[in-house]
Amino acid sequence: MFILNSSDPVPLYKQLYNQLREHILSGKLPAESKLPSVRQMAAELSASCNTVDGAYQELYAEGYIYSKPRSGYFVSTLDQEVAPQSLSGKKGKSNFVPPSQSRFAYDFHPARLDPGSFPTELWRKCLTEGLRRNSEEFSHYGDLQGDWGLRGSIQAYLEKSRGVACHPDQVIVSAGLHHSLEIIAHLLQENHTMVAVENPGYHLPRAVFENHGYTVCPVSVGTSGIELTRLKAGSATIAYVTPSHQLPLGYVMPVANRLALIEWAESGGRFIIEDDYDSELRYQGKPIPSLQGLRPTGNIIYSGTFSKILSPELRLSYLVLPYPLLDKYRRLYRSYNCSVSLVEQKAMACFMEQGHWERHIRRMRTVYKKKHDILLRSVETCFGQRAVVIGQGAGLHVVIRLPETPYSEADIIERAGQKGIRLIRFSDFHATGQPEAVTLMLGFGGMTGSEIEQGITLLSQIC
Ligand SMILES: Cc1ncc(COP(=O)(O)O)c(C=O)c1O
C-alpha cells in the first residue's frame, strides 16, 4: 500500500507520513481504523522501526492519529470543516512537499534557542495587557517607526545595557535584520554603491545589498574584527560589521580599532552599520559597549534584535538611525506604514516595562552559559589537541578548527548526518576564499547538556 523510495531526497519517515496523511484525509484510512504496529509496518515496508515510528509520531503530534494504551494507533475523527483537503481530491495536483523539519538528534545549528525558553505565560499576559490597555489604537494606522512606548523602552534598554546614546525618535521598529538592511540599502543608495562586509561573515547583508544593486566587497577578518587596512585600501563607503561578537568567528573589535573605523567613516562621509545581534550573551569579562556609543552623532547605524534572547519567530528587531538619515527616512517612507504588528509591539512594550525582558536576559545568560561551558568541556575531552577553539565566551555558538582531520567539510557534514548530527557549512560564511583548515560552527542553544555531550562525543569519532 505504501512505497518508500530511498533515492528520494525526502526522508523516508516523511514519505511515509505524507502517504499516511493523504490516506487519512482522503478517507482511504477511515476514522477509528487501526494502524499496523510499528514493527509490522516496518516489516511490510522493509524499513526500519525508526522510520515508521518517526512517521507515526508526527501524525500523532498533529492529531491525525491517537493511541490507545496497549492497543496501538488509531485514525482520529477529523472535523471535515476544518481538516485540510486531501491532495488527491484537488485538481492540478502539485508535487510540492513542504520542507521537512529537523529530525536530527543533535542539532548544532547556531540559530537554535533553548526549546523551553520562550516565556509563553508571561507573553500571553503581556499580549492581553497590551490589548486591554490600548484597544482604541487598534482601530487606526499607527506610527511608521513603531509604537512610541516600545521605542522608549528600547532606547532606555540600549542606553543602560549597550551604551547606545540616542533618542526614541531615532528608533525604528523593524521585522528582522533583512528588513532593517532593506531600509538602509534604500536610504543610502543615492550616494553609495559599494558596501564592505566581513569575510567570513553573515550571508544576509551580502544578499540584501546585492539585491539592491550594490557591489559587495568582502574584507577579511582578523582577531580584531574587520581588517581596517584592507577596508581603507578598498573603495567601499559603507561597512557592515559585528564588532562586539563577530559572526562567525566571535572576535571582539578592540576600542582602538573602533575609533579608527569611526574615523574612516567620518573622514569621507562613509557609513558604519553596527549589527549588535547577540551582545546580551557574554559569559566572560565585562559587557562590551556598542560602537555607536563612542560617537553618537557619527555616521553609525545601529541594529539590534529580540531574536537571540526571546524568539526569532516574533520577527521583532530595531534600528537606530543617525539624524541626517532619519530625515531622509521620513521623507522617503512618508506613505508607508509600520511593518510590525502593533499587537506584538504592545506585548513587547509591556514585557520590557514590567522588567520581564531584563529578567529574561539574565535567565537566558545562565541557561546558555551552562550549555556553552558543557560544549567547551566536551570538545576538550573528546577532541583534545585535535581541535582549536575560536571565539568562545559569548553568543550561541563556538567555532572549532580541525587542522589535522583527513576529511573535507562536506565529508564531515555527511558523516555527521548519518549519526543524527546536524552541522551547517562553515564555508558558506566565506564570500571569497575558504577557511585554512576544516572549521565547524557548533551552535549549542537548542540542545540539552547531555545532547551536547553525546553529540560532541559522536562528532569527535567521525572527524
Ligand atoms: C549576524 C546576525 N545579525 C542578526 C541576526 C538576527 O536577525 P533577525 O533579527 O532577522 O532574526 C542574526 C541571526 O542569526 C545574525 O546571525
PDB file of all heavy atoms in Angstrom, residues 110-111 175-179 202 204-205 240 242 245 247 275-278 303-308 311-313 315-318 429, ligand 1:
ATOM      1  N   PRO A 110      23.467  27.097  14.618  1.00  0.00           N
ATOM      2  CA  PRO A 110      23.800  28.187  15.559  1.00  0.00           C
ATOM      3  C   PRO A 110      22.637  29.113  15.896  1.00  0.00           C
ATOM      4  O   PRO A 110      22.748  29.908  16.825  1.00  0.00           O
ATOM      5  CB  PRO A 110      24.899  28.966  14.830  1.00  0.00           C
ATOM      6  CG  PRO A 110      24.715  28.634  13.388  1.00  0.00           C
ATOM      7  CD  PRO A 110      24.158  27.250  13.328  1.00  0.00           C
ATOM      8  N   ALA A 111      21.534  29.028  15.152  1.00  0.00           N
ATOM      9  CA  ALA A 111      20.436  29.958  15.441  1.00  0.00           C
ATOM     10  C   ALA A 111      19.299  29.298  16.226  1.00  0.00           C
ATOM     11  O   ALA A 111      18.191  29.825  16.263  1.00  0.00           O
ATOM     12  CB  ALA A 111      19.894  30.549  14.134  1.00  0.00           C
ATOM     13  N   ALA A 175      11.121  44.388  11.182  1.00  0.00           N
ATOM     14  CA  ALA A 175      10.726  42.974  11.227  1.00  0.00           C
ATOM     15  C   ALA A 175      11.909  42.068  10.910  1.00  0.00           C
ATOM     16  O   ALA A 175      11.830  41.183  10.067  1.00  0.00           O
ATOM     17  CB  ALA A 175       9.586  42.747  10.234  1.00  0.00           C
ATOM     18  N   GLY A 176      13.030  42.305  11.571  1.00  0.00           N
ATOM     19  CA  GLY A 176      14.191  41.442  11.367  1.00  0.00           C
ATOM     20  C   GLY A 176      15.291  42.170  10.610  1.00  0.00           C
ATOM     21  O   GLY A 176      15.077  43.228  10.022  1.00  0.00           O
ATOM     22  N   LEU A 177      16.475  41.548  10.647  1.00  0.00           N
ATOM     23  CA  LEU A 177      17.641  42.209  10.043  1.00  0.00           C
ATOM     24  C   LEU A 177      17.457  42.476   8.552  1.00  0.00           C
ATOM     25  O   LEU A 177      17.875  43.511   8.043  1.00  0.00           O
ATOM     26  CB  LEU A 177      18.900  41.353  10.277  1.00  0.00           C
ATOM     27  CG  LEU A 177      20.185  41.967   9.728  1.00  0.00           C
ATOM     28  CD1 LEU A 177      20.567  43.241  10.465  1.00  0.00           C
ATOM     29  CD2 LEU A 177      21.335  40.970   9.790  1.00  0.00           C
ATOM     30  N   HIS A 178      16.824  41.546   7.843  1.00  0.00           N
ATOM     31  CA  HIS A 178      16.709  41.773   6.390  1.00  0.00           C
ATOM     32  C   HIS A 178      15.882  43.028   6.122  1.00  0.00           C
ATOM     33  O   HIS A 178      16.203  43.815   5.247  1.00  0.00           O
ATOM     34  CB  HIS A 178      16.117  40.555   5.663  1.00  0.00           C
ATOM     35  CG  HIS A 178      14.629  40.470   5.727  1.00  0.00           C
ATOM     36  ND1 HIS A 178      13.959  39.893   6.770  1.00  0.00           N
ATOM     37  CD2 HIS A 178      13.687  40.952   4.887  1.00  0.00           C
ATOM     38  CE1 HIS A 178      12.666  40.022   6.565  1.00  0.00           C
ATOM     39  NE2 HIS A 178      12.459  40.649   5.429  1.00  0.00           N
ATOM     40  N   HIS A 179      14.855  43.244   6.953  1.00  0.00           N
ATOM     41  CA  HIS A 179      14.010  44.424   6.802  1.00  0.00           C
ATOM     42  C   HIS A 179      14.817  45.690   7.111  1.00  0.00           C
ATOM     43  O   HIS A 179      14.778  46.668   6.366  1.00  0.00           O
ATOM     44  CB  HIS A 179      12.791  44.278   7.730  1.00  0.00           C
ATOM     45  CG  HIS A 179      11.834  45.416   7.653  1.00  0.00           C
ATOM     46  ND1 HIS A 179      11.107  45.844   8.737  1.00  0.00           N
ATOM     47  CD2 HIS A 179      11.485  46.237   6.635  1.00  0.00           C
ATOM     48  CE1 HIS A 179      10.360  46.874   8.379  1.00  0.00           C
ATOM     49  NE2 HIS A 179      10.567  47.133   7.109  1.00  0.00           N
ATOM     50  N   TYR A 202      28.280  37.074   7.933  1.00  0.00           N
ATOM     51  CA  TYR A 202      26.886  36.669   7.763  1.00  0.00           C
ATOM     52  C   TYR A 202      26.484  36.859   6.302  1.00  0.00           C
ATOM     53  O   TYR A 202      26.788  37.903   5.713  1.00  0.00           O
ATOM     54  CB  TYR A 202      26.024  37.530   8.690  1.00  0.00           C
ATOM     55  CG  TYR A 202      24.614  37.052   8.904  1.00  0.00           C
ATOM     56  CD1 TYR A 202      24.285  35.704   8.842  1.00  0.00           C
ATOM     57  CD2 TYR A 202      23.596  37.952   9.195  1.00  0.00           C
ATOM     58  CE1 TYR A 202      22.990  35.270   9.056  1.00  0.00           C
ATOM     59  CE2 TYR A 202      22.296  37.534   9.418  1.00  0.00           C
ATOM     60  CZ  TYR A 202      22.001  36.189   9.341  1.00  0.00           C
ATOM     61  OH  TYR A 202      20.719  35.765   9.549  1.00  0.00           O
ATOM     62  N   LEU A 204      23.491  37.195   4.992  1.00  0.00           N
ATOM     63  CA  LEU A 204      22.298  38.016   4.722  1.00  0.00           C
ATOM     64  C   LEU A 204      22.631  39.431   4.201  1.00  0.00           C
ATOM     65  O   LEU A 204      22.053  39.862   3.188  1.00  0.00           O
ATOM     66  CB  LEU A 204      21.420  38.075   5.974  1.00  0.00           C
ATOM     67  CG  LEU A 204      20.146  38.875   5.821  1.00  0.00           C
ATOM     68  CD1 LEU A 204      19.174  38.202   4.860  1.00  0.00           C
ATOM     69  CD2 LEU A 204      19.460  39.059   7.166  1.00  0.00           C
ATOM     70  N   PRO A 205      23.542  40.172   4.857  1.00  0.00           N
ATOM     71  CA  PRO A 205      23.868  41.504   4.326  1.00  0.00           C
ATOM     72  C   PRO A 205      24.355  41.449   2.884  1.00  0.00           C
ATOM     73  O   PRO A 205      24.002  42.297   2.068  1.00  0.00           O
ATOM     74  CB  PRO A 205      24.967  42.005   5.262  1.00  0.00           C
ATOM     75  CG  PRO A 205      24.813  41.208   6.498  1.00  0.00           C
ATOM     76  CD  PRO A 205      24.260  39.878   6.112  1.00  0.00           C
ATOM     77  N   TYR A 240      29.500  47.021   6.848  1.00  0.00           N
ATOM     78  CA  TYR A 240      28.618  46.267   7.752  1.00  0.00           C
ATOM     79  C   TYR A 240      29.529  45.456   8.671  1.00  0.00           C
ATOM     80  O   TYR A 240      30.356  44.658   8.187  1.00  0.00           O
ATOM     81  CB  TYR A 240      27.694  45.332   6.948  1.00  0.00           C
ATOM     82  CG  TYR A 240      27.084  44.251   7.813  1.00  0.00           C
ATOM     83  CD1 TYR A 240      25.890  44.462   8.488  1.00  0.00           C
ATOM     84  CD2 TYR A 240      27.741  43.023   7.976  1.00  0.00           C
ATOM     85  CE1 TYR A 240      25.355  43.464   9.317  1.00  0.00           C
ATOM     86  CE2 TYR A 240      27.210  42.030   8.802  1.00  0.00           C
ATOM     87  CZ  TYR A 240      26.019  42.267   9.465  1.00  0.00           C
ATOM     88  OH  TYR A 240      25.496  41.287  10.280  1.00  0.00           O
ATOM     89  N   THR A 242      30.078  43.400  12.766  1.00  0.00           N
ATOM     90  CA  THR A 242      29.540  42.833  14.011  1.00  0.00           C
ATOM     91  C   THR A 242      30.645  42.975  15.073  1.00  0.00           C
ATOM     92  O   THR A 242      31.284  41.990  15.437  1.00  0.00           O
ATOM     93  CB  THR A 242      29.150  41.347  13.798  1.00  0.00           C
ATOM     94  OG1 THR A 242      30.252  40.658  13.160  1.00  0.00           O
ATOM     95  CG2 THR A 242      27.927  41.198  12.922  1.00  0.00           C
ATOM     96  N   HIS A 245      30.727  40.866  18.632  1.00  0.00           N
ATOM     97  CA  HIS A 245      30.806  39.405  18.585  1.00  0.00           C
ATOM     98  C   HIS A 245      30.772  39.029  17.115  1.00  0.00           C
ATOM     99  O   HIS A 245      29.706  38.743  16.566  1.00  0.00           O
ATOM    100  CB  HIS A 245      29.626  38.768  19.349  1.00  0.00           C
ATOM    101  CG  HIS A 245      29.751  37.291  19.492  1.00  0.00           C
ATOM    102  ND1 HIS A 245      28.690  36.427  19.344  1.00  0.00           N
ATOM    103  CD2 HIS A 245      30.824  36.514  19.779  1.00  0.00           C
ATOM    104  CE1 HIS A 245      29.102  35.184  19.529  1.00  0.00           C
ATOM    105  NE2 HIS A 245      30.388  35.217  19.803  1.00  0.00           N
ATOM    106  N   LEU A 247      30.431  37.623  13.692  1.00  0.00           N
ATOM    107  CA  LEU A 247      29.821  36.390  13.197  1.00  0.00           C
ATOM    108  C   LEU A 247      30.542  35.976  11.926  1.00  0.00           C
ATOM    109  O   LEU A 247      30.612  36.756  10.994  1.00  0.00           O
ATOM    110  CB  LEU A 247      28.335  36.577  12.867  1.00  0.00           C
ATOM    111  CG  LEU A 247      27.664  35.234  12.548  1.00  0.00           C
ATOM    112  CD1 LEU A 247      27.091  34.630  13.799  1.00  0.00           C
ATOM    113  CD2 LEU A 247      26.648  35.319  11.462  1.00  0.00           C
ATOM    114  N   ASP A 275      25.946  45.801  13.611  1.00  0.00           N
ATOM    115  CA  ASP A 275      24.959  44.766  13.919  1.00  0.00           C
ATOM    116  C   ASP A 275      25.313  44.182  15.288  1.00  0.00           C
ATOM    117  O   ASP A 275      26.282  43.440  15.426  1.00  0.00           O
ATOM    118  CB  ASP A 275      24.969  43.684  12.823  1.00  0.00           C
ATOM    119  CG  ASP A 275      23.901  42.620  13.058  1.00  0.00           C
ATOM    120  OD1 ASP A 275      23.168  42.722  14.059  1.00  0.00           O
ATOM    121  OD2 ASP A 275      23.812  41.678  12.245  1.00  0.00           O
ATOM    122  N   ASP A 276      24.510  44.545  16.282  1.00  0.00           N
ATOM    123  CA  ASP A 276      24.793  44.159  17.676  1.00  0.00           C
ATOM    124  C   ASP A 276      23.816  43.048  18.052  1.00  0.00           C
ATOM    125  O   ASP A 276      23.010  43.200  18.957  1.00  0.00           O
ATOM    126  CB  ASP A 276      24.563  45.404  18.553  1.00  0.00           C
ATOM    127  CG  ASP A 276      25.302  45.331  19.867  1.00  0.00           C
ATOM    128  OD1 ASP A 276      26.273  44.576  19.960  1.00  0.00           O
ATOM    129  OD2 ASP A 276      24.892  46.041  20.806  1.00  0.00           O
ATOM    130  N   TYR A 277      23.889  41.935  17.340  1.00  0.00           N
ATOM    131  CA  TYR A 277      22.799  40.955  17.334  1.00  0.00           C
ATOM    132  C   TYR A 277      22.682  40.094  18.585  1.00  0.00           C
ATOM    133  O   TYR A 277      21.597  39.617  18.879  1.00  0.00           O
ATOM    134  CB  TYR A 277      22.924  40.051  16.100  1.00  0.00           C
ATOM    135  CG  TYR A 277      24.186  39.211  16.111  1.00  0.00           C
ATOM    136  CD1 TYR A 277      24.143  37.854  16.359  1.00  0.00           C
ATOM    137  CD2 TYR A 277      25.425  39.803  15.883  1.00  0.00           C
ATOM    138  CE1 TYR A 277      25.292  37.086  16.381  1.00  0.00           C
ATOM    139  CE2 TYR A 277      26.582  39.045  15.907  1.00  0.00           C
ATOM    140  CZ  TYR A 277      26.503  37.691  16.162  1.00  0.00           C
ATOM    141  OH  TYR A 277      27.641  36.950  16.197  1.00  0.00           O
ATOM    142  N   ASP A 278      23.788  39.857  19.306  1.00  0.00           N
ATOM    143  CA  ASP A 278      23.649  38.939  20.457  1.00  0.00           C
ATOM    144  C   ASP A 278      24.488  39.354  21.661  1.00  0.00           C
ATOM    145  O   ASP A 278      24.930  38.509  22.428  1.00  0.00           O
ATOM    146  CB  ASP A 278      23.977  37.494  20.047  1.00  0.00           C
ATOM    147  CG  ASP A 278      25.458  37.282  19.783  1.00  0.00           C
ATOM    148  OD1 ASP A 278      26.217  38.276  19.773  1.00  0.00           O
ATOM    149  OD2 ASP A 278      25.860  36.124  19.598  1.00  0.00           O
ATOM    150  N   SER A 303      21.963  48.390  14.789  1.00  0.00           N
ATOM    151  CA  SER A 303      20.885  47.419  14.580  1.00  0.00           C
ATOM    152  C   SER A 303      20.894  46.378  15.702  1.00  0.00           C
ATOM    153  O   SER A 303      21.958  45.889  16.091  1.00  0.00           O
ATOM    154  CB  SER A 303      21.126  46.743  13.215  1.00  0.00           C
ATOM    155  OG  SER A 303      20.417  45.550  13.123  1.00  0.00           O
ATOM    156  N   GLY A 304      19.723  46.053  16.206  1.00  0.00           N
ATOM    157  CA  GLY A 304      19.613  45.037  17.259  1.00  0.00           C
ATOM    158  C   GLY A 304      18.382  44.185  17.034  1.00  0.00           C
ATOM    159  O   GLY A 304      17.548  44.489  16.166  1.00  0.00           O
ATOM    160  N   THR A 305      18.243  43.123  17.805  1.00  0.00           N
ATOM    161  CA  THR A 305      17.153  42.176  17.567  1.00  0.00           C
ATOM    162  C   THR A 305      16.682  41.525  18.870  1.00  0.00           C
ATOM    163  O   THR A 305      17.447  41.448  19.835  1.00  0.00           O
ATOM    164  CB  THR A 305      17.629  41.071  16.594  1.00  0.00           C
ATOM    165  OG1 THR A 305      16.551  40.173  16.344  1.00  0.00           O
ATOM    166  CG2 THR A 305      18.803  40.273  17.129  1.00  0.00           C
ATOM    167  N   PHE A 306      15.443  41.049  18.870  1.00  0.00           N
ATOM    168  CA  PHE A 306      14.948  40.252  20.002  1.00  0.00           C
ATOM    169  C   PHE A 306      15.047  38.750  19.703  1.00  0.00           C
ATOM    170  O   PHE A 306      14.595  37.927  20.475  1.00  0.00           O
ATOM    171  CB  PHE A 306      13.486  40.619  20.306  1.00  0.00           C
ATOM    172  CG  PHE A 306      13.323  42.025  20.823  1.00  0.00           C
ATOM    173  CD1 PHE A 306      12.754  43.016  20.041  1.00  0.00           C
ATOM    174  CD2 PHE A 306      13.755  42.359  22.095  1.00  0.00           C
ATOM    175  CE1 PHE A 306      12.611  44.313  20.518  1.00  0.00           C
ATOM    176  CE2 PHE A 306      13.618  43.660  22.588  1.00  0.00           C
ATOM    177  CZ  PHE A 306      13.049  44.637  21.800  1.00  0.00           C
ATOM    178  N   SER A 307      15.639  38.443  18.527  1.00  0.00           N
ATOM    179  CA  SER A 307      15.632  37.047  18.062  1.00  0.00           C
ATOM    180  C   SER A 307      16.501  36.111  18.882  1.00  0.00           C
ATOM    181  O   SER A 307      16.248  34.919  18.939  1.00  0.00           O
ATOM    182  CB  SER A 307      16.117  36.968  16.615  1.00  0.00           C
ATOM    183  OG  SER A 307      15.194  37.563  15.752  1.00  0.00           O
ATOM    184  N   LYS A 308      17.562  36.625  19.476  1.00  0.00           N
ATOM    185  CA  LYS A 308      18.512  35.722  20.114  1.00  0.00           C
ATOM    186  C   LYS A 308      18.155  35.405  21.564  1.00  0.00           C
ATOM    187  O   LYS A 308      18.559  34.375  22.090  1.00  0.00           O
ATOM    188  CB  LYS A 308      19.931  36.333  20.068  1.00  0.00           C
ATOM    189  CG  LYS A 308      20.433  36.532  18.670  1.00  0.00           C
ATOM    190  CD  LYS A 308      20.685  35.203  18.012  1.00  0.00           C
ATOM    191  CE  LYS A 308      20.816  35.324  16.521  1.00  0.00           C
ATOM    192  NZ  LYS A 308      20.993  34.038  15.853  1.00  0.00           N
ATOM    193  N   SER A 311      12.776  35.228  20.821  1.00  0.00           N
ATOM    194  CA  SER A 311      12.388  34.270  19.785  1.00  0.00           C
ATOM    195  C   SER A 311      12.641  34.851  18.399  1.00  0.00           C
ATOM    196  O   SER A 311      12.247  35.990  18.130  1.00  0.00           O
ATOM    197  CB  SER A 311      10.901  33.934  19.901  1.00  0.00           C
ATOM    198  OG  SER A 311      10.459  33.315  18.704  1.00  0.00           O
ATOM    199  N   PRO A 312      13.231  34.040  17.506  1.00  0.00           N
ATOM    200  CA  PRO A 312      13.412  34.528  16.130  1.00  0.00           C
ATOM    201  C   PRO A 312      12.086  34.597  15.383  1.00  0.00           C
ATOM    202  O   PRO A 312      11.989  35.227  14.352  1.00  0.00           O
ATOM    203  CB  PRO A 312      14.348  33.490  15.492  1.00  0.00           C
ATOM    204  CG  PRO A 312      14.259  32.284  16.350  1.00  0.00           C
ATOM    205  CD  PRO A 312      13.829  32.718  17.719  1.00  0.00           C
ATOM    206  N   GLU A 313      11.051  33.942  15.907  1.00  0.00           N
ATOM    207  CA  GLU A 313       9.765  33.919  15.206  1.00  0.00           C
ATOM    208  C   GLU A 313       8.860  35.095  15.563  1.00  0.00           C
ATOM    209  O   GLU A 313       7.791  35.244  14.994  1.00  0.00           O
ATOM    210  CB  GLU A 313       9.048  32.581  15.432  1.00  0.00           C
ATOM    211  CG  GLU A 313       9.531  31.487  14.509  1.00  0.00           C
ATOM    212  CD  GLU A 313       9.374  31.816  13.014  1.00  0.00           C
ATOM    213  OE1 GLU A 313       8.575  32.691  12.658  1.00  0.00           O
ATOM    214  OE2 GLU A 313      10.067  31.184  12.201  1.00  0.00           O
ATOM    215  N   ARG A 315       9.869  37.989  14.937  1.00  0.00           N
ATOM    216  CA  ARG A 315      10.282  38.925  13.879  1.00  0.00           C
ATOM    217  C   ARG A 315      10.242  40.355  14.422  1.00  0.00           C
ATOM    218  O   ARG A 315       9.543  41.207  13.888  1.00  0.00           O
ATOM    219  CB  ARG A 315       9.434  38.794  12.590  1.00  0.00           C
ATOM    220  CG  ARG A 315       9.330  37.423  12.008  1.00  0.00           C
ATOM    221  CD  ARG A 315      10.660  36.698  11.871  1.00  0.00           C
ATOM    222  NE  ARG A 315      11.643  37.362  11.024  1.00  0.00           N
ATOM    223  CZ  ARG A 315      12.923  37.521  11.386  1.00  0.00           C
ATOM    224  NH1 ARG A 315      13.380  37.080  12.562  1.00  0.00           N
ATOM    225  NH2 ARG A 315      13.760  38.116  10.584  1.00  0.00           N
ATOM    226  N   LEU A 316      10.943  40.582  15.474  1.00  0.00           N
ATOM    227  CA  LEU A 316      10.984  41.905  16.096  1.00  0.00           C
ATOM    228  C   LEU A 316      12.441  42.337  16.240  1.00  0.00           C
ATOM    229  O   LEU A 316      13.240  41.635  16.877  1.00  0.00           O
ATOM    230  CB  LEU A 316      10.377  41.830  17.493  1.00  0.00           C
ATOM    231  CG  LEU A 316       8.967  42.365  17.716  1.00  0.00           C
ATOM    232  CD1 LEU A 316       8.573  42.206  19.168  1.00  0.00           C
ATOM    233  CD2 LEU A 316       8.831  43.811  17.289  1.00  0.00           C
ATOM    234  N   SER A 317      12.752  43.460  15.628  1.00  0.00           N
ATOM    235  CA  SER A 317      14.104  43.991  15.743  1.00  0.00           C
ATOM    236  C   SER A 317      14.025  45.512  15.683  1.00  0.00           C
ATOM    237  O   SER A 317      12.920  46.065  15.625  1.00  0.00           O
ATOM    238  CB  SER A 317      14.959  43.439  14.607  1.00  0.00           C
ATOM    239  OG  SER A 317      14.439  43.883  13.373  1.00  0.00           O
ATOM    240  N   TYR A 318      15.166  46.165  15.702  1.00  0.00           N
ATOM    241  CA  TYR A 318      15.127  47.634  15.703  1.00  0.00           C
ATOM    242  C   TYR A 318      16.385  48.214  15.094  1.00  0.00           C
ATOM    243  O   TYR A 318      17.432  47.563  15.038  1.00  0.00           O
ATOM    244  CB  TYR A 318      14.938  48.169  17.131  1.00  0.00           C
ATOM    245  CG  TYR A 318      15.803  47.469  18.158  1.00  0.00           C
ATOM    246  CD1 TYR A 318      17.098  47.879  18.424  1.00  0.00           C
ATOM    247  CD2 TYR A 318      15.305  46.355  18.820  1.00  0.00           C
ATOM    248  CE1 TYR A 318      17.888  47.215  19.352  1.00  0.00           C
ATOM    249  CE2 TYR A 318      16.095  45.679  19.748  1.00  0.00           C
ATOM    250  CZ  TYR A 318      17.378  46.121  20.003  1.00  0.00           C
ATOM    251  OH  TYR A 318      18.156  45.435  20.902  1.00  0.00           O
ATOM    252  N   PHE A 429      29.933  30.928   5.029  1.00  0.00           N
ATOM    253  CA  PHE A 429      30.174  32.261   5.592  1.00  0.00           C
ATOM    254  C   PHE A 429      31.258  33.013   4.806  1.00  0.00           C
ATOM    255  O   PHE A 429      31.457  34.192   5.005  1.00  0.00           O
ATOM    256  CB  PHE A 429      30.590  32.161   7.071  1.00  0.00           C
ATOM    257  CG  PHE A 429      29.450  31.743   7.959  1.00  0.00           C
ATOM    258  CD1 PHE A 429      29.182  30.410   8.210  1.00  0.00           C
ATOM    259  CD2 PHE A 429      28.617  32.698   8.521  1.00  0.00           C
ATOM    260  CE1 PHE A 429      28.122  30.030   9.005  1.00  0.00           C
ATOM    261  CE2 PHE A 429      27.552  32.327   9.326  1.00  0.00           C
ATOM    262  CZ  PHE A 429      27.306  30.989   9.566  1.00  0.00           C
TER     263      PHE A 429
HETATM  264  C1  LIG B   1      24.782  38.453  12.459  1.00  0.00           C
HETATM  265  C2  LIG B   1      23.308  38.371  12.731  1.00  0.00           C
HETATM  266  N1  LIG B   1      22.616  39.501  12.862  1.00  0.00           N
HETATM  267  C3  LIG B   1      21.291  39.494  13.136  1.00  0.00           C
HETATM  268  C4  LIG B   1      20.620  38.306  13.281  1.00  0.00           C
HETATM  269  C5  LIG B   1      19.157  38.326  13.682  1.00  0.00           C
HETATM  270  O1  LIG B   1      18.363  38.578  12.649  1.00  0.00           O
HETATM  271  P1  LIG B   1      16.769  38.740  12.825  1.00  0.00           P
HETATM  272  O2  LIG B   1      16.534  39.942  13.674  1.00  0.00           O
HETATM  273  O3  LIG B   1      16.348  38.908  11.415  1.00  0.00           O
HETATM  274  O4  LIG B   1      16.239  37.488  13.423  1.00  0.00           O
HETATM  275  C6  LIG B   1      21.286  37.105  13.102  1.00  0.00           C
HETATM  276  C7  LIG B   1      20.560  35.839  13.205  1.00  0.00           C
HETATM  277  O5  LIG B   1      21.072  34.757  13.134  1.00  0.00           O
HETATM  278  C8  LIG B   1      22.668  37.143  12.838  1.00  0.00           C
HETATM  279  O6  LIG B   1      23.373  35.999  12.700  1.00  0.00           O
END
